[in-house]
Amino acid sequence: MIEPKFELAVVRGSRPLAACGQGVTVEALDTRVPSRMKFAAVCSAGAGAGAPGWRYEFVVRAQMSARIAIAANDVPAGKVIADEDVLLERHDISNIADPVSDPQDVVGMSGKRSLRAGEVLRLALLAAPTLVKRGEAVRIVARNEQVEVSMGGEALDAGAKGSLVRVRNASGTIIRAKVTAAGTVQPADMPVTINPRNE
């Protein structure tokens, strides 16, 4: 998260508390939901001789905010998100399960539905677009140090960026390849480079 900020507020109760003869201990009862956490203050002995102790349950509301990615423009469903479509803005994230703090994590993805300008970008709303379609001609690019070799092939599976697909290369061999860009793949099992020994 970028520049996280936490604010805690204890919800005042109506029950008056007696003085405690020793330090009060606090136990966490339920901290699953930051906006409504339950704690218990426990006093094992009262202030006076023989005074009973007490236990008091109370609620703490936490508000968390951070700079997160929002849509800078209206983005139609299915359109690939570009750099100019994303802004960082401070928002309350107490009830957002999957906020995005790095704009580059969403650039190249697309909305499962139309996104409105100012809307918080959540991973659940986004999908990696299909960059390689089944039956489509693809370019197989293999890089090894400073050498690059490419050849044509046919995708036997559809895939988004980073996914593994089967590709039939120009010689008819079926290989596993990783999708790197639209219509472009890289062999997943690159041969190991053997440096020749100096004679």
Side-chain angles (χ1 to χ4, degrees):
M1 276 186 281
I2 299 175
E3 299 174 17
K5 196 187 286 184
F6 300 87
E7 295 178 13
L8 299 175
V10 177
V11 178
R12 287 180 65 97
S14 56
R15 176 181 156 194
L17 296 178
C20 187
Q22 54 191 42
V24 175
T25 59
V26 177
E27 301 172 0
L29 302 179
D30 186 352
T31 57
R32 290 172 297 177
V33 181
S35 60
R36 188 175 174 80
M37 298 184 290
K38 289 185 179 177
F39 293 85
V42 180
C43 173
S44 55
W54 47 261
R55 176 186 174 90
Y56 176 70
E57 294 186 8
F58 60 98
V59 172
V60 174
R61 299 190 189 281
Q63 186 181 58
M64 296 180 288
S65 67
R67 285 167 53 80
I68 57 173
I70 65 163
N73 312 296
D74 289 339
V75 181
K79 177 185 177 289
V80 174
I81 296 171
D83 285 320
E84 60 269 19
D85 295 321
V86 187
L87 282 176
L88 278 178
E89 194 172 272
R90 179 168 293 282
H91 275 269
D92 179 1
I93 60 169
S94 306
N95 297 310
I96 301 175
D98 53 353
V100 178
S101 56
D102 185 351
Q104 290 308 307
D105 288 347
V106 299
V107 170
M109 298 183 84
S110 60
K112 294 177 182 176
R113 60 164 174 76
S114 295
L115 303 169
R116 298 182 311 278
E119 184 173 355
V120 172
L121 296 178
R122 297 171 41 237
L123 295 176
L125 300 176
L126 306 172
T130 300
L131 298 180
V132 166
K133 296 177 182 171
R134 184 177 177 181
E136 168 180 87
V138 293
R139 190 166 153 255
I140 305 167
V141 179
R143 293 184 184 86
N144 193 339
E145 294 176 1
Q146 296 171 355
V147 179
E148 179 177 304
V149 178
S150 68
M151 68 186 302
E154 178 191 354
L156 302 179
D157 302 306
K161 185 172 183 175
S163 61
L164 289 174
V165 295
R166 293 173 303 145
V167 176
R168 181 182 289 114
N169 65 20
S171 59
T173 304
I174 295 175
I175 64 168
R176 287 188 324 137
K178 184 165 83 170
V179 178
T180 56
T184 307
V185 299
Q186 172 185 308
D189 305 310
M190 293 289 287
V192 176
T193 302
I194 300 175
N195 294 320
R197 287 181 302 177
N198 293 328
E199 296 296 334

